[in-house]
mmCIF file of all heavy atoms in Angstrom:
data_model
loop_
_atom_site.group_PDB
_atom_site.id
_atom_site.type_symbol
_atom_site.label_atom_id
_atom_site.label_comp_id
_atom_site.label_asym_id
_atom_site.label_seq_id
_atom_site.Cartn_x
_atom_site.Cartn_y
_atom_site.Cartn_z
ATOM 1 N N VAL A 969 -10.892 11.169 8.648
ATOM 2 C CA VAL A 969 -11.223 10.034 7.729
ATOM 3 C C VAL A 969 -12.106 9.021 8.497
ATOM 4 O O VAL A 969 -11.794 8.482 9.494
ATOM 5 C CB VAL A 969 -9.902 9.265 7.244
ATOM 6 C CG1 VAL A 969 -10.236 8.070 6.365
ATOM 7 C CG2 VAL A 969 -8.923 10.200 6.616
ATOM 8 N N GLU A 970 -13.286 8.836 7.902
ATOM 9 C CA GLU A 970 -14.279 7.948 8.589
ATOM 10 C C GLU A 970 -14.537 6.764 7.679
ATOM 11 O O GLU A 970 -14.724 6.936 6.503
ATOM 12 C CB GLU A 970 -15.580 8.604 8.848
ATOM 13 C CG GLU A 970 -15.476 9.818 9.771
ATOM 14 C CD GLU A 970 -16.736 10.650 9.847
ATOM 15 O OE1 GLU A 970 -17.612 10.260 10.654
ATOM 16 O OE2 GLU A 970 -16.807 11.601 9.151
ATOM 17 N N ALA A 971 -14.407 5.502 8.156
ATOM 18 C CA ALA A 971 -14.534 4.340 7.357
ATOM 19 C C ALA A 971 -15.663 3.379 7.948
ATOM 20 O O ALA A 971 -16.001 3.463 9.101
ATOM 21 C CB ALA A 971 -13.207 3.499 7.313
ATOM 22 N N GLN A 972 -16.182 2.489 7.084
ATOM 23 C CA GLN A 972 -17.117 1.611 7.491
ATOM 24 C C GLN A 972 -16.579 0.398 8.253
ATOM 25 O O GLN A 972 -17.260 -0.400 8.878
ATOM 26 C CB GLN A 972 -17.920 1.108 6.305
ATOM 27 C CG GLN A 972 -18.671 2.114 5.558
ATOM 28 C CD GLN A 972 -19.478 1.616 4.392
ATOM 29 O OE1 GLN A 972 -19.367 0.460 4.021
ATOM 30 N NE2 GLN A 972 -20.296 2.514 3.819
ATOM 31 N N GLU A 973 -15.254 0.229 8.219
ATOM 32 C CA GLU A 973 -14.508 -0.830 8.939
ATOM 33 C C GLU A 973 -13.158 -0.341 9.345
ATOM 34 O O GLU A 973 -12.660 0.621 8.755
ATOM 35 C CB GLU A 973 -14.449 -2.053 8.105
ATOM 36 C CG GLU A 973 -13.573 -1.817 6.792
ATOM 37 C CD GLU A 973 -13.521 -3.069 5.900
ATOM 38 O OE1 GLU A 973 -12.955 -4.083 6.447
ATOM 39 O OE2 GLU A 973 -13.905 -3.022 4.759
ATOM 40 N N PRO A 974 -12.555 -0.969 10.329
ATOM 41 C CA PRO A 974 -11.154 -0.520 10.701
ATOM 42 C C PRO A 974 -10.264 -0.747 9.570
ATOM 43 O O PRO A 974 -10.218 -1.779 8.881
ATOM 44 C CB PRO A 974 -10.813 -1.465 11.861
ATOM 45 C CG PRO A 974 -12.134 -1.911 12.373
ATOM 46 C CD PRO A 974 -13.051 -2.019 11.245
ATOM 47 N N ILE A 975 -9.339 0.311 9.328
ATOM 48 C CA ILE A 975 -8.341 0.276 8.312
ATOM 49 C C ILE A 975 -6.941 0.158 8.901
ATOM 50 O O ILE A 975 -6.646 0.886 9.828
ATOM 51 C CB ILE A 975 -8.377 1.591 7.482
ATOM 52 C CG1 ILE A 975 -9.750 1.762 6.795
ATOM 53 C CG2 ILE A 975 -7.308 1.608 6.491
ATOM 54 C CD1 ILE A 975 -9.933 3.027 6.079
ATOM 55 N N PRO A 976 -6.102 -0.704 8.397
ATOM 56 C CA PRO A 976 -4.720 -0.726 8.821
ATOM 57 C C PRO A 976 -3.902 0.439 8.283
ATOM 58 O O PRO A 976 -3.929 0.689 7.028
ATOM 59 C CB PRO A 976 -4.135 -2.031 8.314
ATOM 60 C CG PRO A 976 -5.321 -2.793 7.799
ATOM 61 C CD PRO A 976 -6.409 -1.784 7.487
ATOM 62 N N TRP A 977 -3.319 1.224 9.230
ATOM 63 C CA TRP A 977 -2.541 2.386 8.785
ATOM 64 C C TRP A 977 -1.073 2.210 9.013
ATOM 65 O O TRP A 977 -0.712 1.415 9.873
ATOM 66 C CB TRP A 977 -3.002 3.620 9.586
ATOM 67 C CG TRP A 977 -4.278 4.258 9.080
ATOM 68 C CD1 TRP A 977 -5.563 3.844 9.443
ATOM 69 C CD2 TRP A 977 -4.484 5.455 8.253
ATOM 70 N NE1 TRP A 977 -6.454 4.674 8.825
ATOM 71 C CE2 TRP A 977 -5.890 5.618 8.086
ATOM 72 C CE3 TRP A 977 -3.511 6.298 7.642
ATOM 73 C CZ2 TRP A 977 -6.303 6.653 7.380
ATOM 74 C CZ3 TRP A 977 -4.019 7.334 6.835
ATOM 75 C CH2 TRP A 977 -5.411 7.522 6.720
ATOM 76 N N THR A 978 -0.304 2.843 8.203
ATOM 77 C CA THR A 978 1.147 2.850 8.369
ATOM 78 C C THR A 978 1.594 4.253 8.720
ATOM 79 O O THR A 978 1.142 5.189 8.118
ATOM 80 C CB THR A 978 1.847 2.471 6.984
ATOM 81 O OG1 THR A 978 1.533 1.113 6.643
ATOM 82 C CG2 THR A 978 3.330 2.615 7.134
ATOM 83 N N LEU A 979 2.379 4.298 9.818
ATOM 84 C CA LEU A 979 2.867 5.617 10.234
ATOM 85 C C LEU A 979 4.422 5.545 10.167
ATOM 86 O O LEU A 979 5.044 4.774 10.769
ATOM 87 C CB LEU A 979 2.494 5.920 11.689
ATOM 88 C CG LEU A 979 0.962 5.975 12.033
ATOM 89 C CD1 LEU A 979 0.767 6.321 13.476
ATOM 90 C CD2 LEU A 979 0.244 7.028 11.111
ATOM 91 N N ASP A 980 4.978 6.383 9.308
ATOM 92 C CA ASP A 980 6.443 6.423 9.032
ATOM 93 C C ASP A 980 7.035 5.072 8.872
ATOM 94 O O ASP A 980 8.123 4.675 9.303
ATOM 95 C CB ASP A 980 7.123 7.071 10.301
ATOM 96 C CG ASP A 980 6.848 8.533 10.447
ATOM 97 O OD1 ASP A 980 6.482 9.200 9.486
ATOM 98 O OD2 ASP A 980 7.013 9.046 11.629
ATOM 99 N N GLY A 981 6.338 4.227 8.003
ATOM 100 C CA GLY A 981 6.785 2.951 7.541
ATOM 101 C C GLY A 981 6.516 1.862 8.602
ATOM 102 O O GLY A 981 6.914 0.716 8.281
ATOM 103 N N GLU A 982 5.865 2.189 9.701
ATOM 104 C CA GLU A 982 5.649 1.103 10.751
ATOM 105 C C GLU A 982 4.095 0.923 10.893
ATOM 106 O O GLU A 982 3.453 1.953 10.638
ATOM 107 C CB GLU A 982 6.304 1.504 12.069
ATOM 108 C CG GLU A 982 7.772 1.745 12.054
ATOM 109 C CD GLU A 982 8.567 0.438 11.742
ATOM 110 O OE1 GLU A 982 8.079 -0.617 12.170
ATOM 111 O OE2 GLU A 982 9.667 0.551 11.156
ATOM 112 N N PHE A 983 3.723 -0.243 11.377
ATOM 113 C CA PHE A 983 2.260 -0.482 11.560
ATOM 114 C C PHE A 983 1.802 0.566 12.620
ATOM 115 O O PHE A 983 2.217 0.532 13.697
ATOM 116 C CB PHE A 983 2.055 -1.867 11.920
ATOM 117 C CG PHE A 983 0.586 -2.271 12.191
ATOM 118 C CD1 PHE A 983 -0.324 -2.171 11.147
ATOM 119 C CD2 PHE A 983 0.149 -2.701 13.429
ATOM 120 C CE1 PHE A 983 -1.670 -2.431 11.392
ATOM 121 C CE2 PHE A 983 -1.121 -3.020 13.671
ATOM 122 C CZ PHE A 983 -2.082 -2.894 12.630
ATOM 123 N N GLY A 984 0.648 1.254 12.234
ATOM 124 C CA GLY A 984 0.107 2.224 13.173
ATOM 125 C C GLY A 984 -1.227 1.815 13.740
ATOM 126 O O GLY A 984 -1.953 2.691 14.378
ATOM 127 N N GLY A 985 -1.646 0.595 13.636
ATOM 128 C CA GLY A 985 -2.870 0.084 14.163
ATOM 129 C C GLY A 985 -3.999 0.182 13.146
ATOM 130 O O GLY A 985 -3.854 0.749 12.101
ATOM 131 N N GLU A 986 -5.155 -0.393 13.508
ATOM 132 C CA GLU A 986 -6.397 -0.385 12.731
ATOM 133 C C GLU A 986 -7.358 0.653 13.275
ATOM 134 O O GLU A 986 -7.644 0.566 14.473
ATOM 135 C CB GLU A 986 -6.947 -1.697 12.590
ATOM 136 C CG GLU A 986 -6.034 -2.731 11.874
ATOM 137 C CD GLU A 986 -6.804 -4.090 11.625
ATOM 138 O OE1 GLU A 986 -8.019 -4.234 11.991
ATOM 139 O OE2 GLU A 986 -6.079 -4.944 11.015
ATOM 140 N N HIS A 987 -7.893 1.554 12.408
ATOM 141 C CA HIS A 987 -8.734 2.600 12.851
ATOM 142 C C HIS A 987 -9.902 2.741 11.893
ATOM 143 O O HIS A 987 -9.636 2.933 10.665
ATOM 144 C CB HIS A 987 -7.987 3.904 12.967
ATOM 145 C CG HIS A 987 -6.655 3.793 13.783
ATOM 146 N ND1 HIS A 987 -6.661 4.077 15.129
ATOM 147 C CD2 HIS A 987 -5.379 3.399 13.402
ATOM 148 C CE1 HIS A 987 -5.388 3.827 15.608
ATOM 149 N NE2 HIS A 987 -4.628 3.384 14.616
ATOM 150 N N ALA A 988 -11.156 2.827 12.449
ATOM 151 C CA ALA A 988 -12.245 3.137 11.616
ATOM 152 C C ALA A 988 -12.463 4.688 11.526
ATOM 153 O O ALA A 988 -13.190 5.159 10.662
ATOM 154 C CB ALA A 988 -13.568 2.478 12.107
#
Side-chain angles (χ1 to χ4, degrees):
V969 181
E970 300 172 85
Q972 295 182 356
E973 61 180 300
I975 298 175
W977 282 81
T978 294
L979 303 179
D980 292 338
E982 303 292 331
F983 180 60
E986 297 189 358
H987 307 268

